Amino acid sequence: MISLNDNSVLVLIQLFGGNDGLNTIIPIESYDILMKHRGNIMIPEKKILKIDNNIGLHPSLCELRNLYDNDELLIINDVGYPTQNRSHFKSLDIWTTGSNFNKTLSTGWLGRSLDLKHPNYPNNYPNEKFKDPIAISIGSAVADVCQGIMTNYSHVLNTLNSFPQFLKEPLDKQSDNRMNMLKFINTSIDSTNSYNKRLESIVKKGISFADYPENNELAQGLKKVVTLLSGGSTTRIFHLSLSGFDTHAYQTDKENQEKGTHAFLLKQLSEAISIFHKDLKNIGHHKRVLTATYSEFGRQIKSNNSFGTDHGDAAPMFLFGHGLTNSMIGKLPKIENYLDDQAAVPLQFDFRDVFASIINKTMSLSPTEIESVFNKEIASIPLF
Amino acid sequence: MERKEFIKIISFFTIGSGITYSGYNIFRETKEPLKSKLAITLDQQKRIINKITLGLPHQKIESLLVDGYEKAIRKLLVNEHLKSEPINFEFENDYYTPIGKTWINSPNSYNGKYFEQYRKKSLRAWLLEHNYSNTSYLQNNMLQFWLNYFSISDIVDHRYEFSHIKMLYNNCFGNFKRIIENITIDPAMLRFLSGFVNNRLHPNENYARELLELYTIGKPIHKSDYYIESDVREIARSLSGWKDQGWYTSDPKQKVESYFNIHDHDIGEKKLSKFFSHYSLSNNEEKEYKLIISQLFKKDDVSINICSKLYRWFCQDEINDYTFKNLILPISKKLKDSNYELNEVLFDLFTSDIFIKNSLDDYRIKNPLQFIFSHLSFFPINESKDQLQYHQTWSFLFKILSEMGMEILKPPSVGGWKALYQAPNYSKLWINSATLAARQNFISNLLNPNSFISINMKRFLSQSKTEEPKELISYINSSFFQNQLSEETVKHANVLLLEGEDLNKKNLIKVTPDNDWKNNVPIVLNFLLNLPSNNLI
């Protein structure tokens, strides 16, 4: 049983663009039918990393195979939401806000969860109890999923080399649009100044052991997470992203379906996660960190004629962590012989139920609180 | 239409920033946009002009406004053609392009060697330099609007990027429908959204989806009467067969261009949904893209979408119901009625009461381009006479822009810069712990006499025409900060100017320790330009 509690850390990795689930976790029993629908991008059967007679992994995911064997990987099949929207932007809005398909929300589901824990944030933050950023977004922009009512909880971190201080501005009392904007900048500066001081001292103490490849940006981001955790950071939410999954054309090479954009990206993911896990063990934090991937949609079952796939519906999610007792939730998709042109994989699980089960474990929120975050009845999914 | 009735109809449908509208017969009772009856001061006119242009030099704004605001807008709306071209400023091994000459018509490779690395740098430096030296100041910003509107990214044959920029620039204030027609078969776009591999056997939906969602109709909304998934596919089919040529060519005669290949075209009948009145299109080969675009342009949504985006680029992040009804709808109707000619509509936009009032009331975070060019257009810069160094300056600025979160020609997605569309933060997204550092770094460079882009303090003092310390602070406050600095800030700036500051702690400017206040100008600027106020426009 995974031992997550009040001390646990959640790492979210966004796979931007819409990951092709059917070439990530390949349902081998439907292989012949898939060859009919997407023959030009199918991984040769012999090259698939077979977990059993039906579950196959893309050959780029060899490191994940080891995690699977060590009970450190959980695959959740066909995650999405009802009435799937195939626009990147609308679908991403739904995944980040946790809204219904016909609603627009301005806060992220994680931000709303954090609002329950930190109702006054950012006033009087940092403080004795919460010295560090509540969430950290590795990269150059805040994580939309961390948007709360008052502000976004994620502190943006793109380098561990410098932690400058910034100048605030005394403000007049009047409250107009200009003053509100200045207040926003002042508040950003306030928190950046305090967090930068704190982060600088954490980074001095922090360490990472593993060899993170230079050309793997996700791995470099995860190295920062390890450095911070080993240096004593009490931040419990990290957000990272990997872009390029919008594989409309040349998802695979023409001649070699094991190669191409998708193979490259999955390799980046697999390699980064594997090193990260190894290093978490090195620093002794592996029991408290749970990592989850998400993507705005899967892709259509039929490939197009340009060695790619167009926007689809549901796709698998990965969870990584120590001592995951389950290794797969839900059935692998069964592909029909006859399909509409734009058919995609239907959902088995609502992503909100998946995230609800995750934050139930990692954030100690009550079922009522979690239902208020997602504004829906939560169907419990036995992830752990 | 009565407001009540209007609100009843708008129900729950949304566009962009949460504005609601029915889309049904929406132009029926739309009137002309309200013309400005507001009496606005010269300072207010300057503020609006500063907001809508990019890089207009401080000294030129008064002469532009000499005949009044409306005439100034007319002058700014003159559509110039692109005259300048990026050149090879440093790379010695481009077989076809000697240093000092342009590479836009020469092949991207020779004998297995590729030239994309230096050309990437050269094109980006040129784009920034062009913005600096080109005197069509509104067109400069409009070009950025279009680059954001279509948001091509990662096109590694840079001749394609140049031809894309040139097409957009030359059509900046032209005909919107023509721009969409051009962009549909634009070689860079064919590459960017997979049009070049959209073949008859199974269409590639990439471009068709964004054509509907971003470029014409607008975001998909959940209602019964809107475009549906099959429209995406059918439009993709009608566009199949368009290819580009010249990609990574080594043939000196091969231009970058698009062409139609009938063998890759889906000749079957295409049928659009109820939303497009069940339009059906039989095989029309290379004429199909224009026919299908004509169908899209029959919908009111198209002009509402572009006009909303124009308003948000030039004025405000959010469009309230009043603005939507009294400005966006009227100019959208006018755009559609005029067969999508933009020039007059832009004139109406910039001179309308609502635009002017909201422009004056609203403050946003300067986007990184605005941040950089607000300084470069106000302060005299030490321009290097050395050609190589001059071009390197712009390469350097490209890097700084990227650190500020705006790598030009590489927006994060086809939706463009998030700060232009992502509620609820919008322009606030330009500010975070990482980008604050990049902005601070830019200011340090302006004040470091050894940097590529340092302010010429002597010329700045002479430009300010001030003799007294107080006058200088007052000049900066009125001309650069539109008199928005607080008393406390002005007071502190005066003290700094008279007394200086111990700079040993800061790794900035070395000042000769004498009593001349003029030597303290960099110290004062270091204080003022790093203020949060300097991030607002």
Side-chain angles (χ1 to χ4, degrees):
Chain A
M1 185 74 162
I2 191 162
S3 54
L4 295 169
N5 50 39
D6 273 359
N7 191 27
S8 58
V9 172
L10 176 61
V11 178
L12 287 176
I13 300 174
Q14 183 195 353
L15 310 178
F16 183 61
N19 180 34
D20 182 22
L22 286 173
N23 261 22
T24 305
I25 310 292
I26 302 156
I28 299 168
E29 281 173 10
S30 298
Y31 190 86
D32 292 342
I33 301 173
L34 282 168
M35 274 305 285
K36 190 182 130 195
H37 294 313
R38 44 163 61 200
N40 60 349
I41 60 159
M42 279 302 282
I43 308 293
E45 198 170 359
K46 281 183 189 161
K47 302 288 182 170
I48 295 174
L49 301 174
K50 285 183 186 166
I51 286 178
D52 61 23
N53 283 340
N54 193 21
I55 309 170
L57 294 182
H58 189 287
S60 288
L61 299 176
C62 52
E63 293 89 350
L64 294 196
R65 170 69 202 259
N66 297 335
L67 293 179
Y68 187 92
D69 292 342
N70 294 338
D71 294 335
E72 291 174 317
L73 165 63
L74 166 62
I75 297 162
I76 311 161
N77 281 306
D78 309 345
V79 188
Y81 53 85
T83 319
Q84 176 76 41
N85 193 306
R86 291 183 181 176
S87 148
H88 288 293
F89 307 99
K90 185 63 196 166
S91 199
L92 199 53
D93 275 353
I94 291 171
W95 272 85
T96 51
T97 65
S99 73
N100 273 329
F101 69 93
N102 56 357
K103 288 264 159 43
T104 305
L105 294 177
S106 58
T107 52
W109 59 264
L110 195 46
R112 288 196 299 281
S113 313
L114 290 166
D115 280 341
L116 292 169
K117 294 271 175 191
H118 308 275
N120 297 318
Y121 188 88
N123 296 328
N124 300 321
Y125 280 78
N127 54 42
E128 258 317 292
K129 198 170 169 206
F130 298 99
K131 294 185 175 118
D132 294 323
I134 303 298
I136 286 180
S137 170
I138 306 276
S140 56
V142 290
D144 294 327
V145 71
C146 295
Q147 182 65 39
I149 289 177
M150 300 274 278
T151 186
N152 191 298
Y153 283 89
S154 58
H155 176 90
V156 178
L157 187 74
N158 70 347
T159 171
L160 300 184
N161 298 328
S162 74
F163 297 92
Q165 296 289 300
F166 303 97
L167 189 65
K168 272 173 67 182
E169 185 166 344
L171 301 185
D172 296 336
K173 283 203 179 105
Q174 81 223 48
S175 166
D176 55 15
N177 165 267
R178 184 172 178 275
M179 279 305 135
N180 290 338
M181 290 307 261
L182 286 180
K183 260 184 218 159
F184 161 78
I185 304 176
N186 269 356
T187 310
S188 306
I189 287 176
D190 253 343
S191 68
T192 300
N193 284 349
S194 343
Y195 289 140
N196 270 358
K197 275 186 200 156
R198 173 82 185 149
L199 286 165
E200 191 165 25
S201 75
I202 287 171
V203 168
K204 270 185 198 152
K205 287 179 271 174
I207 192 161
S208 64
F209 295 92
D211 198 6
Y212 292 81
E214 283 299 324
N215 59 359
N216 185 332
E217 213 175 308
L218 180 64
Q220 289 299 320
L222 290 168
K223 182 182 179 180
K224 293 187 175 88
V225 177
V226 165
T227 309
L228 294 175
L229 291 177
S230 67
S233 164
T234 56
T235 296
R236 291 180 44 213
I237 291 167
F238 294 90
H239 189 279
L240 300 95
S241 63
L242 180 60
S243 294
F245 284 89
D246 195 19
T247 49
H248 286 278
Y250 300 110
Q251 169 173 334
T252 70
D253 278 1
K254 260 187 193 176
E255 312 295 337
N256 183 350
Q257 277 64 23
E258 285 172 78
K259 297 250 158 46
T261 312
H262 195 234
F264 172 79
L265 291 168
L266 292 182
K267 187 76 200 162
Q268 296 260 305
L269 176 71
S270 175
E271 190 179 65
I273 293 286
S274 148
I275 294 169
F276 179 53
H277 265 250
K278 196 168 128 197
D279 222 10
L280 283 174
K281 280 177 197 155
N282 289 336
I283 63 164
H285 284 251
H286 55 293
K287 289 184 182 168
R288 59 186 289 244
V289 179
L290 183 71
T291 304
T293 63
Y294 69 100
S295 192
E296 66 264 40
F297 39 63
R299 307 193 78 81
Q300 291 176 21
I301 299 170
K302 292 187 180 180
S303 60
N304 57 35
N305 200 27
S306 36
F307 302 89
T309 45
D310 295 316
H311 302 184
D313 299 338
M317 272 177 79
F318 289 126
L319 283 194
F320 308 99
H322 176 79
L324 289 161
T325 40
N326 286 325
S327 52
M328 180 171 280
I329 308 256
K331 287 180 184 155
L332 280 173
K334 195 167 171 7
I335 309 300
E336 299 295 330
N337 212 351
Y338 175 78
L339 289 172
D340 288 342
D341 272 350
Q342 291 171 295
V345 177
L347 86 157
Q348 287 184 63
F349 299 104
D350 190 314
F351 76 95
R352 291 166 295 185
D353 294 330
V354 176
F355 282 133
S357 306
I358 290 174
I359 59 174
N360 172 260
K361 202 76 183 170
T362 56
M363 288 179 74
S364 319
L365 290 171
S366 74
T368 327
E369 285 176 317
I370 291 176
E371 293 201 347
S372 78
V373 164
F374 290 103
N375 196 24
K376 80 183 263 295
E377 216 171 289
I378 296 299
S380 168
I381 299 178
L383 299 178
F384 308 108
Chain B
M1 190 186 294
E2 289 296 316
R3 186 170 166 73
K4 248 188 193 167
E5 190 195 337
F6 177 74
I7 287 171
K8 205 162 57 186
I9 289 176
I10 60 183
S11 69
F12 56 84
F13 308 126
T14 66
I15 59 160
S17 60
I19 289 303
T20 51
Y21 80 106
S22 72
Y24 175 71
N25 214 358
I26 198 157
F27 290 157
R28 195 181 51 193
E29 292 184 34
T30 296
K31 299 187 180 88
E32 282 282 295
L34 299 172
K35 275 285 164 197
S36 176
K37 294 183 195 83
L38 291 169
I40 46 171
T41 65
L42 185 62
D43 279 346
Q44 288 174 322
Q45 294 174 25
K46 284 186 194 169
R47 176 161 148 71
I48 299 168
I49 300 277
N50 257 325
K51 285 181 87 161
I52 64 174
T53 57
L54 190 59
L56 175 62
H58 168 66
Q59 298 86 337
K60 294 208 171 164
I61 196 158
E62 288 200 6
S63 61
L64 179 71
L65 283 161
V66 73
D67 297 319
Y69 178 75
E70 292 201 357
K71 289 232 169 82
I73 296 292
R74 284 271 181 232
K75 279 184 237 166
L76 287 170
L77 278 169
V78 173
N79 202 132
E80 297 291 343
H81 276 236
L82 192 61
K83 293 179 199 95
S84 108
E85 292 164 345
I87 59 163
N88 176 3
F89 59 80
E90 62 174 358
F91 187 70
E92 289 169 350
N93 298 321
D94 184 336
Y95 179 81
Y96 299 99
T97 319
I99 288 179
K101 298 287 177 203
T102 185
W103 44 262
I104 58 160
N105 295 315
S106 56
N108 204 18
S109 66
Y110 176 74
N111 225 354
K113 285 186 181 138
Y114 298 96
F115 312 135
E116 74 267 25
Q117 285 305 328
Y118 95 82
R119 290 183 181 188
K120 176 181 180 183
K121 218 166 131 185
S122 152
L123 183 82
R124 281 143 183 79
W126 163 80
L127 188 55
L128 293 174
E129 197 285 326
H130 179 258
N131 195 81
Y132 181 67
S133 57
N134 179 43
T135 55
S136 298
Y137 306 106
L138 181 59
Q139 203 171 345
N140 290 342
N141 199 11
M142 193 71 188
L143 173 63
Q144 293 301 328
F145 168 83
W146 289 121
L147 288 174
N148 177 62
Y149 196 87
F150 296 111
S151 276
I152 63 156
S153 168
D154 274 339
I155 300 298
V156 286
D157 187 330
H158 304 289
R159 296 175 311 158
Y160 279 60
E161 284 183 322
F162 177 75
S163 109
H164 175 81
I165 291 168
K166 188 175 178 181
M167 187 277 283
L168 292 177
Y169 187 82
N170 289 348
N171 288 285
C172 253
F173 309 130
N175 186 289
F176 177 53
K177 195 173 163 193
R178 197 165 311 128
I179 292 175
I180 294 294
E181 287 171 355
N182 291 346
I183 206 81
T184 301
I185 58 163
D186 172 55
M189 183 56 87
L190 287 169
R191 284 276 156 180
F192 176 52
L193 293 182
S194 323
F196 77 112
V197 284
N198 177 17
N199 298 331
R200 70 192 158 87
L201 289 176
H202 189 116
N204 187 310
E205 296 176 4
N206 202 1
Y207 178 75
R209 180 178 303 280
E210 308 310 352
L211 174 67
L212 283 167
E213 175 174 344
L214 298 172
Y215 306 155
T216 58
I217 306 290
K219 275 192 182 178
I221 51 182
H222 188 73
K223 63 172 187 170
S224 51
D225 185 27
Y226 213 58
Y227 69 84
I228 55 176
E229 282 296 313
S230 65
D231 291 320
V232 175
R233 184 192 57 218
E234 296 300 289
I235 292 171
R237 290 177 60 216
S238 75
L239 303 177
S240 57
W242 280 98
K243 314 274 162 200
D244 60 283
Q245 54 191 347
W247 184 256
Y248 271 76
T249 182
S250 52
D251 175 3
K253 286 181 196 143
Q254 179 62 60
K255 284 182 182 167
V256 171
E257 57 195 0
S258 52
Y259 69 100
F260 183 73
N261 181 351
I262 179 72
H263 304 297
D264 279 328
H265 181 66
D266 184 335
I267 56 169
E269 188 185 18
K270 290 97 194 173
K271 281 184 176 166
L272 298 186
S273 69
K274 181 176 161 236
F275 181 65
F276 296 107
S277 313
H278 300 292
Y279 175 72
S280 131
L281 179 62
S282 55
N283 183 33
N284 264 275
E285 299 175 0
E286 77 272 24
K287 291 183 193 132
E288 277 184 40
Y289 78 103
K290 284 192 181 175
L291 293 169
I292 212 90
I293 287 169
S294 279
Q295 286 308 307
L296 304 189
F297 273 70
K298 284 184 177 166
K299 303 300 292 187
D300 296 346
D301 309 70
V302 175
S303 56
I304 293 172
N305 184 43
I306 175 78
C307 288
S308 302
K309 286 190 177 180
L310 283 165
Y311 180 84
R312 289 160 77 183
W313 180 265
F314 286 107
C315 191
Q316 228 180 352
D317 291 332
E318 292 200 311
I319 305 173
N320 63 31
D321 282 356
Y322 181 81
T323 301
F324 184 68
K325 187 184 170 192
N326 295 296
L327 177 60
I328 304 301
L329 283 186
I331 60 170
S332 303
K333 180 175 188 293
K334 183 162 177 170
L335 186 64
K336 193 179 175 205
D337 291 348
S338 68
N339 199 22
Y340 297 96
E341 288 298 335
L342 284 162
N343 204 302
E344 277 303 311
V345 167
L346 285 165
F347 179 78
D348 281 3
L349 174 72
F350 296 135
T351 56
S352 75
D353 232 354
I354 297 175
F355 183 92
I356 289 171
K357 186 176 181 311
N358 292 348
S359 227
L360 292 172
D361 290 348
D362 194 70
Y363 284 82
R364 290 195 281 189
I365 308 285
K366 290 174 185 169
N367 72 39
L369 275 167
Q370 288 170 323
F371 186 76
I372 283 183
F373 281 99
S374 63
H375 296 90
L376 301 188
S377 57
F378 184 76
F379 295 102
I381 303 295
N382 286 316
E383 283 168 27
S384 177
K385 300 242 170 5
D386 178 86
Q387 274 299 301
L388 177 60
Q389 209 178 59
Y390 182 70
H391 289 290
Q392 281 169 344
T393 305
W394 301 103
S395 275
F396 176 69
L397 283 173
F398 165 72
K399 200 172 143 266
I400 288 195
L401 270 171
S402 309
E403 286 164 6
M404 290 178 186
M406 197 179 203
E407 180 178 339
I408 50 168
L409 297 172
K410 198 179 178 181
S413 78
V414 63
W417 308 110
K418 259 182 148 181
L420 267 303
Y421 68 83
Q422 189 69 58
N425 290 322
Y426 298 105
S427 75
K428 289 178 183 167
L429 291 171
W430 291 123
I431 296 287
N432 63 50
S433 40
T435 56
L436 277 169
R439 288 181 181 224
Q440 193 180 58
N441 180 24
F442 173 72
I443 301 300
S444 303
N445 272 287
L446 280 183
L447 300 173
N448 176 355
N450 299 321
S451 97
F452 279 139
I453 45 158
S454 62
I455 295 174
N456 184 321
M457 292 296 164
K458 219 173 159 182
R459 273 171 53 209
F460 173 59
L461 276 167
S462 119
Q463 166 190 313
S464 73
K465 296 185 184 118
T466 54
E467 282 306 317
E468 293 297 318
K470 269 196 174 171
E471 284 174 11
L472 181 70
I473 302 297
S474 161
Y475 167 74
I476 298 171
N477 188 12
S478 65
S479 303
F480 190 71
F481 287 99
Q482 285 99 35
N483 279 320
Q484 294 285 359
L485 296 180
S486 69
E487 270 180 47
E488 202 180 329
T489 303
V490 170
K491 210 167 130 190
H492 185 64
N494 274 308
V495 173
L496 280 180
L497 194 51
L498 289 171
E499 297 176 6
E501 193 184 26
D502 180 11
L503 286 174
N504 288 334
K505 284 183 263 170
K506 300 186 177 182
N507 194 15
L508 273 176
I509 325 110
K510 295 274 178 277
V511 176
T512 332
D514 61 28
N515 291 325
D516 189 348
W517 63 270
K518 287 179 183 169
N519 288 328
N520 291 334
V521 174
I523 299 171
V524 166
L525 289 179
N526 183 48
F527 165 65
L528 291 173
L529 300 184
N530 277 307
L531 285 174
S533 274
N534 191 22
N535 290 303
L536 298 188
I537 186 161

